[in-house]
Every structure is written in structure tokens, then in C-alpha cells.
Amino acid sequence: MGAGHPSQAECRRGVRAALAGLPAGSLALAAVSGGADSLALAAALAAEAPAHDVTAGAIIVDHQLQEESADVALLAAQHCADLGLGPVAVVPTLVTASGKGLEAAAREARYAALAETAAAMGEDHPAHLVLLGHTRDDQAEQVLLGLARGSGARSLAGMAVLVVREGTPFARPLLHLPRATTRQACQEWGLTPWEDPMNSDRAYARVRARQALADLEGDLGPGIAEALVRSADLLRDDADLLDDLAERATPDDDPAGVPVGELAELAPALRSRVWRRLLLRSGAPAGDLTAGHVAACDRLVTDWHGQGPLHLPGDQRVRRDRDRVHIARAPGGQ
């Protein structure tokens, strides 16, 4: 498969870096929706896999949120087969809207389906890897949404190039490329992407963020997306360091509770991360744990005047008893 145009070469270069180091005979799977980003990813994977002695396939997740979703999934699967990818799996999944919204629910369902399918397909291979088609524009939108929510450094750090979810490694080889590059690459490869109508529906926060970025570029000049991504890269290094320090500073389980003195001597940025680790370890759901919950726990150390116990997600109760903090599931909690 050719790479005569710079856009094709850029996509292939990103995928080449993602495949480097995989053992011979490994399975690399493109997550394909049928849109320009994922089709360019699939084409680049098909072009690069033979040189790495890697089996290249694809997974198409059908969220079943639109009437024509099954037809769109089958068309995407056909595109992948025509590119020479195999195995190709179409995986229907059920999206149940939650308090966090339809977008978040669809994302969680998609990752779960990708991880489960990749693990099953990769059983006969020494390793497996799922490639995602996120671009620099997606990263900028993610950071802008984090700013709008008043998020901390970890959220503002955006998406990582490599992440492991449910035991499956996911890579984003196109994260450094603008969306215009993947669209141009599709044109050069003769691929016709599917245009998801949800991408123009302003009911979704990401669509509004996309429009806001375009408005900012128009009002302040070009380079806003690149600046947001650059800030995310810098914050990610900081957040990684703080997380590593927090892991070392998190006390071991102790039936007697956590000594208040150990928490009090930590810097606030570090202590908040230690609190989060303690709460997650006790069983609080990560997706439901907010900065407000962590701040309330921290006041048990910094501004305690007898308040508590705190009621947190996952039926967790946090209380201070003199010089100890106790975190435990409420009596009768599952």
C-alpha cells in the first residue's frame, strides 16, 4: 500500500512507532468506526504490519445508538477487509446512559468491548495491541473540556499515547497529527469515510468544544489547538511524577487507621493524590470520586473540628478518631 503523499507517510510513521517492539507474531487491532481518523489508521496499519511480522486486524464496535448503526459497522468491516486486515470483528454493545451522560457511557462500553474482544482474539498470539484513531484535535478538545470543568492536572494532561485498560494495551499512534492529515490520507488512499451525524449535534459537549476551538482560532489566530496539546504534554509529565510520589507516600493498610500526622506532613498536591489512592483502595468507584470528595476528606486533616463521618461513593465512610483516619465500607454495604 502506497505512502506517496506526506499525509499517508505521517500516518504510517505513527503506526510504525506503535508497532515497534511488538514480538513477532503479535496481533495489532485497529479500532474502526468508519470515520476518517480510524480509516486512515486502518490503512496505515495494513501497510506497516507486514514489515513488523505482525498480524493486523480490526474491531468495529456497534453502539446501536442510531438506526443505521449495523449497516455502518458492516461497511466499516468491509473497508477493513478490502485493506487486507484480518481478523475483523463487528461487536454490538449495549450503551446504558448514566448520570455521567451518553458520551461517557458510550466510551466506557466501547473500551470494555474492545478490551474483551482483543483479549479473546489475541489468545493465540504472544501479545496484542489495540490502536485508537485519536488525533491532535481530539486531544485539544479533551483539554478544553477539562478546563471548562475546572479539572486538575491529570485531567488536563489529556490522553496518553499508551494506556492499559482491563489488561489490554491501547495505543494512539495518530495523536500528534491534525485531523486534516487523516482526512487527506483517506483521500489519497481512495477511502470514503462515514460522516457521523452525532459529530454535528451540539447536544454533545465534545461537539460544542470542537466549535469553540474553531471560534478561538478565528478570534485569536491559529495555533490554539497546538498550544492546548503542548500544555497537556507538560502537565502529563508533572502529573506522572506526582502520581509516582503519591504511590510511594500512600500508607499501607492498617486496621488501626491512617495516622493523621503522616498525611499532614505531605504537600497539598501530594496529599490529595494519596487521599484518592486510599479511597480507591477501599472500594470507592473511580468514576464517581470527585475533587469535592477528596477536599472534604482533606479537611479531616487540615480543618478538623469534629465533623464526620463523610459519606462517599461506593458506600464508603471516612471518619477521624483523634489522631487516626478510618476509611471503610458502611455496615451492610456490598
Side-chain angles (χ1 to χ4, degrees):
M1 176 168 295
H5 192 273
S7 61
Q8 295 169 292
E10 289 284 359
C11 292
R12 289 186 60 168
R13 190 175 298 117
V15 169
R16 189 181 309 140
L19 299 181
L22 281 178
S26 294
L27 177 66
L29 297 159
V32 180
S33 66
D37 301 338
S38 64
L39 280 185
L41 174 70
L45 175 59
E48 289 295 323
H52 292 80
D53 194 14
V54 167
T55 299
I59 304 174
I60 298 93
V61 176
D62 176 8
H63 298 86
Q64 305 182 83
L65 293 175
Q66 303 174 33
E67 290 185 4
E68 72 277 14
S69 68
D71 293 335
V72 171
L74 289 175
L75 180 59
Q78 186 60 56
H79 278 311
C80 291
D82 291 344
L83 288 167
L85 297 179
V88 175
V90 175
V91 185
T93 189
L94 181 64
V95 177
T96 303
S98 64
K100 291 177 284 187
L102 186 61
E103 285 179 290
R107 182 170 57 251
E108 291 303 314
R110 178 167 61 253
Y111 275 111
L114 289 170
E116 181 179 353
T117 305
M121 295 171 72
E123 285 183 348
D124 297 328
H125 300 267
H128 65 272
L129 174 69
V130 177
L131 305 180
L132 304 172
H134 295 119
T135 65
R136 187 175 69 192
D137 297 78
D138 295 309
Q139 183 77 300
E141 292 158 14
Q142 180 89 351
V143 176
L144 185 60
L145 285 170
L147 285 169
R149 290 191 296 263
S151 302
R154 175 51 68 192
S155 180
L156 295 179
M159 297 175 283
V161 173
L162 182 65
V163 66
V164 178
R165 295 183 61 136
E166 301 183 38
T168 292
F170 290 86
R172 297 182 173 98
L174 309 182
L175 199 57
H176 62 296
L177 299 178
R179 190 172 290 133
T181 297
T182 62
R183 290 190 173 278
Q184 183 65 46
C186 283
Q187 182 177 327
E188 298 299 328
W189 270 313
L191 299 169
T192 303
W194 171 63
E195 298 294 341
D196 186 350
M198 294 177 70
N199 286 338
S200 58
D201 188 344
R202 288 183 56 83
Y204 298 103
R206 185 166 292 278
V207 175
R208 298 195 298 274
R210 186 169 301 174
Q211 183 59 56
L213 269 177
D215 292 341
L216 287 170
E217 294 270 356
D219 293 339
L220 300 178
I224 299 299
E226 291 89 337
L228 286 171
V229 171
R230 188 163 58 251
S231 296
D233 291 340
L234 294 171
L235 280 169
R236 192 176 308 114
D237 289 340
D238 294 346
D240 288 345
L241 174 60
L242 285 169
D243 284 346
D244 182 57
L245 293 173
E247 183 176 0
R248 299 184 208 174
T250 301
D252 295 331
D253 277 322
D254 187 341
V258 181
V260 170
E262 288 189 19
L263 294 171
E265 66 185 15
L266 298 174
L270 193 56
R271 191 169 59 242
S272 65
R273 285 166 168 78
V274 169
W275 271 118
R276 184 171 176 83
R277 287 177 175 276
L278 290 170
L279 294 168
L280 292 176
R281 188 172 71 189
S282 184
D288 297 332
L289 199 58
T290 68
H293 294 135
V294 173
C297 291
D298 202 43
R299 284 193 289 273
L300 295 177
V301 173
T302 62
D303 186 28
W304 186 58
H305 45 269
Q307 74 268 30
L310 303 175
H311 293 222
L312 271 61
D315 289 321
Q316 300 299 308
R317 299 292 183 267
V318 184
R319 63 182 177 85
R320 175 170 171 174
D321 182 11
R322 298 181 182 176
D323 62 348
R324 296 270 175 168
V325 171
H326 301 269
I327 306 172
R329 192 177 295 274
Q334 298 299 315

